[in-house]
């Protein structure tokens, strides 16, 4: 039954087994009842023999007492009747335990007929009469005693076959009930187990731990549900990609308007400096002109920076892993944004100089840049940013690190904590969504963390964040550790 390849077949097969069993039990019960019925008939027939023998004796006694011819005739009628009953021989009493008894009865009846006829023919007063009467009485007694024994034996046999039938019936009913319970359980296990497994797999898919549903059993219905589900997942993925592409296009529009807005400031500064220079050409003092030219130079640099960051966003670079020092990378990143770091913000680096990453250097720089810039935005004024990193062995547990950030093998665990404004749970749940921003137009496009997330995914790592409004935010990054170039874990301040 268990090898069948569809749930429907399994259920049909179980029904068939039950039907066959019920049929077998019905046939068995029918046959047993037939046997009991035959036994009852046999009992009745034997009782008939006994009653006839008793009648023979009754008329025999009457005849001996009153010497009436009618009693002798009645006696003869009953002798005929018992002979007719016995005429079928032992075949008509096939169920009898001792078939020899029938032959014995036949022989005794014949002798009895002979003896009573002889007695009737003996004239009254003859000395032979009393001895012949005695012979008739003895044979008559034997006739009754044989039939009586037969009746008792038959009654016992009937009783015992009824008891056997009752016990067998109880066993059959109990056995059938147990079998039905076991069958029901096996069937429900066969059906509910794959469904339970499917439920677990679907939960794993929604938790992002797997991307396709493996068929939990080879049953046709389950396989086709699994195939349909996987097809749906594939289509959803395609649609999601479409959506992302169109969102990216939409973001380019936002990005362009942001960039236009950003470029407007340096351009108008350059324009007004040029205006002044033009107006004062040949008259103004050279030191003022130098200030104006320096301003133009600075604003050009700002515009160039804006354009180059736009280019960076648009350009697709090939992913290439390098082996580099984390400290060097973070320090270089901090140098890039030095001018944007207010004096009252303290940034500490808490990891060994010898901690190396095997990652795409430029992409990781983008990660640190985006995270540090967000932290600075959240701090607005004075506060601190702490960047820590630790190598971790596969079997080690780090209580400070969120448990939902799972990466196989040895890892490097990085955390970036700021003392900024923090955010609400609702905001936290959306920060990695593309274009989610709480910042004003021109200040944020909501792509920073989305890009960070993509980059960490590309590295087969994971990123997560925790935050409490008013108490700062921490970003946790776990990256796979591919080489052993790690040094002491002494804390170092940067
Ligand atoms: P953007 O910086 O352009 O808004 P991001 O994707 O970098 O886009 O960030 C999305 C949003 O997440 C931000 O608008 C901000 O509300 C929130 N956020 C990110 N980092 C922090 C942080 N360190 N502290 C508080 N909020 C943050």
């Amino acid at each position: 039954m268990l090898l069948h390849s569809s749930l429907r077949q399994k259920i049909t097969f179980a029904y068939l087994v039950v039907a066959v069993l019920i049929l077998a039990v019905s046939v068995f019960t029918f046959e047993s009842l037939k046997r009991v019925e035959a036994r009852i008939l046999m009992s009745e027939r034997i009782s008939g023999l006994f009653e006839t023998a008793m009648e023979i004796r009754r008329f025999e006694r009457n005849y001996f007492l009153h010497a009436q011819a009618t009693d002798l005739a009645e006696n003869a009628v009953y002798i005929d009747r018992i002979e007719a009953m016995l005429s079928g021989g032992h075949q008509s009493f096939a169920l009898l335990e001792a078939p020899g008894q029938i032959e014995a009865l036949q022989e005794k009846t014949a002798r009895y007929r002979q003896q009573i006829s002889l007695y009737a023919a003996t004239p009254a007063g003859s000395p032979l009469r009393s001895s012949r009467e005695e012979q008739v009485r003895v044979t008559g007694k034997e006739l009754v005693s044989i039939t009586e024994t037969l009746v008792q034996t038959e009654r016992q046999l009937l009783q015992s076959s009824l008891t056997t039938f009752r016990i067998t019936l109880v066993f059959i009913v109990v056995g059938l009930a147990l079998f039905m319970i076991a069958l029901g359980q096996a069937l429900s296990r066969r059906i509910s187990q794959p469904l339970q497994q499917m439920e677990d797999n679907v939960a794993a898919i929604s938790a992002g731990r797997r991307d396709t549903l493996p068929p939990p059993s080879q049953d046709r219905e389950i396989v086709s549900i699994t195939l349909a589900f996987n097809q749906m997942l594939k289509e959803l993925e395609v649609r999601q990609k479409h959506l992302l592409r169109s969102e990216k296009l939409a973001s380019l529009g936002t990005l362009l308007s942001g960039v236009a807005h950003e470029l407007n400031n340096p351009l108008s500064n350059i324009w007004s400096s040029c205006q002044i220079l033009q107006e004062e050409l040949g008259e103004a003092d050279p030191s003022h002109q130098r200030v104006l030219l320096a301003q133009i130079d600075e604003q050009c640099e700002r515009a160039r920076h804006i354009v180059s960051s736009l280019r960076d966003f648009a350009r697709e670079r090939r992913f290439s892993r390098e082996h580099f020092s984390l400290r060097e990378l973070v320090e270089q990143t901090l140098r890039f944004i030095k001018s944007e770091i207010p004096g009252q913000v303290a940034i500490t680096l808490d990891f060994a100089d010898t901690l190396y990453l095997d990652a795409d250097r430029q992409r990781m720089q983008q990660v640190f840049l985006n995270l540090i810039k967000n932290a600075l935005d959240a701090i607005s004024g004075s506060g601190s940013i702490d960047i820590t990193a630790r190598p971790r062995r596969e079997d080690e547990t780090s209580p400070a690190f969120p448990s939902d950030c799972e990466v196989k093998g040895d890892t490097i665990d990085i955390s970036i904590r700021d003392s900024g404004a923090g955010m609400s749970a609702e905001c936290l749940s959306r920060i990695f969504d593309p274009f989610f921003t709480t910042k004003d137009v021109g200040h944020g496009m909501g792509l920073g963390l989305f890009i960070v997330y993509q980059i960490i995914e590309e590295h087969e790592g994971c990123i997560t964040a925790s935050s409490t409004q008013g108490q700062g935010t921490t970003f946790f990054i776990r990256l796979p550790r591919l080489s052993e170039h790690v040094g002491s874990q002494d804390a170092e301040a940067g």
Side-chain angles (χ1 to χ4, degrees):
M1 177 187 89
L2 310 179
L3 295 173
H4 283 96
S5 57
S6 94
L7 292 182
R8 197 167 156 226
Q9 274 175 325
K10 279 176 186 168
I11 294 169
T12 316
F13 188 76
Y15 269 113
L16 262 176
V17 169
V18 172
V20 167
L21 264 178
I22 289 176
L23 196 73
V25 167
S26 310
V27 169
F28 172 80
T29 315
F30 182 73
E31 284 300 317
S32 304
L33 275 176
K34 246 169 68 179
R35 270 201 301 279
V36 171
E37 194 186 2
R39 194 94 259 165
I40 291 170
L41 279 176
M42 182 84 287
S43 240
E44 278 172 6
R45 217 173 286 163
I46 302 278
S47 297
L49 284 178
F50 174 67
E51 277 155 23
T52 317
M54 290 297 280
E55 287 303 306
I56 290 172
R57 292 237 56 207
R58 189 159 70 86
F59 286 106
E60 171 207 303
R61 260 194 308 274
N62 287 351
Y63 181 59
F64 285 154
L65 273 178
H66 313 293
Q68 298 277 341
T70 50
D71 288 331
L72 185 65
E74 279 298 325
N75 176 278
V77 166
Y78 281 103
I79 293 174
D80 288 347
R81 191 173 290 173
I82 206 165
E83 275 188 333
M85 286 165 113
L86 295 169
S87 64
H90 62 81
Q91 282 92 337
S92 0
F93 296 89
L95 283 179
L96 218 56
E97 286 294 288
Q101 302 280 57
I102 297 301
E103 268 81 31
L105 262 180
Q106 275 174 327
E107 187 261 318
K108 291 268 184 253
T109 315
R111 194 179 326 152
Y112 182 85
R113 184 191 284 281
Q114 221 177 22
Q115 286 171 340
I116 201 154
S117 310
L118 207 59
Y119 172 81
T122 313
S126 160
L128 287 173
R129 201 162 161 97
S130 68
S131 69
R132 289 197 174 147
E133 184 186 322
E134 190 52 35
Q135 280 177 347
V136 170
R137 277 186 204 285
V138 169
T139 314
K141 231 188 240 168
E142 281 173 358
L143 261 182
V144 170
S145 127
I146 293 174
T147 52
E148 198 175 9
T149 319
L150 280 176
V151 165
Q152 276 167 5
T153 322
E154 204 47 44
R155 226 170 255 161
Q156 274 168 7
L157 282 174
L158 181 63
Q159 192 62 45
S160 83
S161 49
L162 275 174
T163 312
T164 316
F165 179 61
R166 204 171 36 236
I167 293 173
T168 321
L169 214 60
V170 168
F171 268 109
I172 285 177
V173 169
V174 171
L176 209 62
L178 289 179
F179 177 77
M180 298 279 263
I181 291 171
L183 190 73
Q185 276 182 347
L187 206 61
S188 94
R189 244 200 331 274
R190 289 270 129 192
I191 295 170
S192 66
Q193 236 170 29
L195 291 181
Q196 175 68 46
Q197 235 172 309
M198 260 178 103
E199 198 182 319
D200 294 347
N201 288 336
V202 170
I205 288 173
S206 51
R209 287 199 301 275
R210 58 178 333 143
D211 41 19
T212 54
L213 192 67
S217 87
Q218 289 312 310
D219 294 319
R220 227 183 5 252
E221 295 88 342
I222 301 279
V223 170
S224 65
I225 291 176
T226 312
L227 286 179
F229 192 84
N230 283 340
Q231 183 65 29
M232 185 188 78
L233 282 180
K234 234 187 245 165
E235 272 171 27
L236 273 179
E237 202 186 320
V238 170
R239 272 173 207 210
Q240 200 181 16
K241 275 189 185 149
H242 271 300
L243 217 64
L244 215 61
R245 211 171 297 140
S246 55
E247 290 265 357
K248 197 158 182 170
L249 282 177
S251 89
L252 267 178
T254 321
L255 185 79
L256 283 176
S257 79
V259 167
H261 188 267
E262 288 286 305
L263 277 178
N264 204 32
N265 277 341
L267 283 178
S268 65
N269 286 346
I270 292 167
W271 181 78
S272 54
S273 301
C274 281
Q275 286 287 313
I276 297 168
L277 274 174
Q278 265 176 354
E279 278 165 21
E280 296 177 356
L281 201 62
E283 347 175 326
D285 91 86
S287 68
H288 184 236
Q289 284 180 349
R290 247 195 304 280
V291 170
L292 288 173
L293 283 171
Q295 267 176 15
I296 291 173
D297 184 46
E298 192 190 312
Q299 295 304 317
C300 281
E301 177 56 29
R302 197 173 149 194
R304 201 181 62 79
H305 181 73
I306 292 165
V307 172
S308 88
S309 55
L310 176 66
R311 223 179 29 218
D312 267 1
F313 175 77
R315 195 170 54 206
E316 292 266 336
R317 269 196 313 266
R318 224 164 46 83
F319 182 88
S320 78
R321 256 183 224 278
E322 286 171 58
H323 187 67
F324 57 88
S325 152
L326 179 65
R327 180 172 291 276
E328 269 175 29
L329 180 87
V330 176
E331 282 177 351
Q332 192 190 50
T333 312
L334 290 173
R335 271 199 302 278
F336 283 161
I337 50 168
K338 203 169 159 198
S339 59
E340 295 174 37
I341 304 173
Q344 302 93 320
V345 173
I347 300 185
T348 57
L349 308 189
D350 178 10
F351 49 84
D353 285 352
T354 46
L355 189 60
Y356 273 65
L357 293 187
D358 289 288
D360 183 307
R361 195 189 155 96
Q362 260 182 308
R363 281 173 167 80
M364 284 313 292
Q365 187 154 59
Q366 171 120 50
V367 166
F368 282 104
L369 202 70
N370 291 2
L371 291 177
I372 295 168
K373 273 186 166 181
N374 275 345
L376 289 171
D377 287 344
I379 287 170
S380 67
S382 65
S384 62
I385 300 175
D386 304 312
I387 304 175
T388 56
R390 296 273 181 280
R392 170 189 151 270
R393 264 184 225 298
E394 184 171 14
D395 47 7
E396 251 178 78
T397 48
S398 32
F401 221 79
S403 55
D404 59 343
C405 201
E406 273 176 35
V407 171
K408 271 200 191 128
D410 295 347
T411 57
I412 305 243
D413 292 354
I414 303 166
S415 65
I416 296 142
R417 192 175 66 235
D418 67 61
S419 62
M423 56 191 129
S424 66
E426 206 261 319
C427 181
L428 185 67
S429 67
R430 300 184 55 197
I431 51 171
F432 295 113
D433 290 353
F435 316 116
F436 172 76
T437 181
T438 55
K439 296 172 190 169
D440 297 335
V441 182
H443 291 280
M445 285 170 288
L447 284 170
L449 290 180
F450 172 69
I451 289 168
V452 166
Y453 191 88
Q454 305 290 322
I455 293 174
I456 300 299
E457 278 235 307
E458 264 184 307
H459 285 85
E460 289 166 1
C462 86
I463 179 165
T464 180
S466 77
S467 183
T468 315
Q469 221 155 12
Q471 289 176 29
T473 304
T474 309
F475 280 88
F476 300 92
I477 298 173
R478 180 164 272 175
L479 290 173
R481 179 147 58 100
L482 304 178
S483 60
E484 281 297 319
H485 290 265
V486 281
S488 78
Q489 295 170 24
D490 302 338
E492 289 184 31

